[in-house]
Amino acid sequence: MTKQGCQNRIRVVLADRQFTNRWLADQMGVTDMTVPRWKTNKIQPSMAQFVEIACQLHVDIKELLEVDLGKETKMVSDIDNIAKGLADKMTIINIQSKNLQGKISITKEQIYNNTAVRKMLMERGINLDDLL
């Protein structure tokens, strides 16, 4: 994301939450002019300030740093949901075929299947953790 995108996102989130520049400045312990300068790209918040801004605005840091999640993020989300569904179905099949019983056995099976699906995706060059 460009610096401009980050500042635009601060502006959008402030407006969405109906927070004023003064409110955010007070919460952050900065001068009244700092927030407008962030919003107009005259200065850029440090990464620590971005984290604090996200906390103050009650948004995920990813949301603050991403202007448009777009089709690629939706596709990653879809793949993630399908991967989880596949691991769940594998677990159900193995519970029945292996006659698994008890929370520990079933949890281990679920973890094993989640790991196996993630490993297969990574072998195919798809690392969901890096893409999200």
Side-chain angles (χ1 to χ4, degrees):
M1 162 170 283
T2 65
K3 290 180 181 179
Q4 184 65 33
C6 295
Q7 280 64 33
N8 285 340
R9 192 66 188 143
I10 291 171
R11 183 177 334 171
V12 168
V13 174
L14 275 171
D16 286 349
R17 301 283 193 278
Q18 299 182 341
F19 292 140
T20 64
N21 292 345
R22 181 188 267 308
W23 176 86
L24 183 58
D26 289 344
Q27 300 304 308
M28 297 288 299
V30 297
T31 68
D32 290 348
M33 290 307 301
T34 301
V35 175
R37 288 179 180 151
W38 287 339
K39 290 168 53 177
T40 59
N41 203 28
K42 291 184 179 166
I43 61 173
Q44 181 166 353
S46 68
M47 187 48 100
Q49 287 173 317
F50 268 121
V51 171
E52 180 64 20
I53 292 167
C55 289
Q56 294 298 332
L57 297 177
H58 308 290
V59 296
D60 187 286
I61 188 72
K62 289 180 185 178
E63 182 182 345
L64 187 62
L65 294 174
E66 294 175 2
V67 172
D68 182 10
L69 298 178
K71 292 179 183 177
E72 183 176 316
T73 300
K74 180 172 178 356
M75 182 177 65
V76 170
S77 177
D78 290 346
I79 292 170
D80 190 46
N81 288 334
I82 291 167
K84 288 175 184 174
L86 176 59
D88 289 346
K89 296 292 184 191
M90 291 167 61
T91 300
I92 291 168
I93 290 169
N94 288 338
I95 288 170
Q96 294 170 350
S97 67
K98 296 177 181 178
N99 195 27
L100 298 176
Q101 296 180 8
K103 185 176 181 179
I104 294 173
S105 296
I106 293 171
T107 300
K108 283 182 181 179
E109 182 66 27
Q110 182 69 38
I111 291 169
Y112 179 79
N113 292 326
N114 281 324
T115 303
V117 170
R118 293 280 176 161
K119 181 180 176 190
M120 181 269 305
L121 288 171
M122 289 182 74
E123 287 171 355
R124 302 294 306 148
I126 302 169
N127 185 346
L128 295 176
D129 296 329
D130 290 345
L131 297 174
L132 290 175

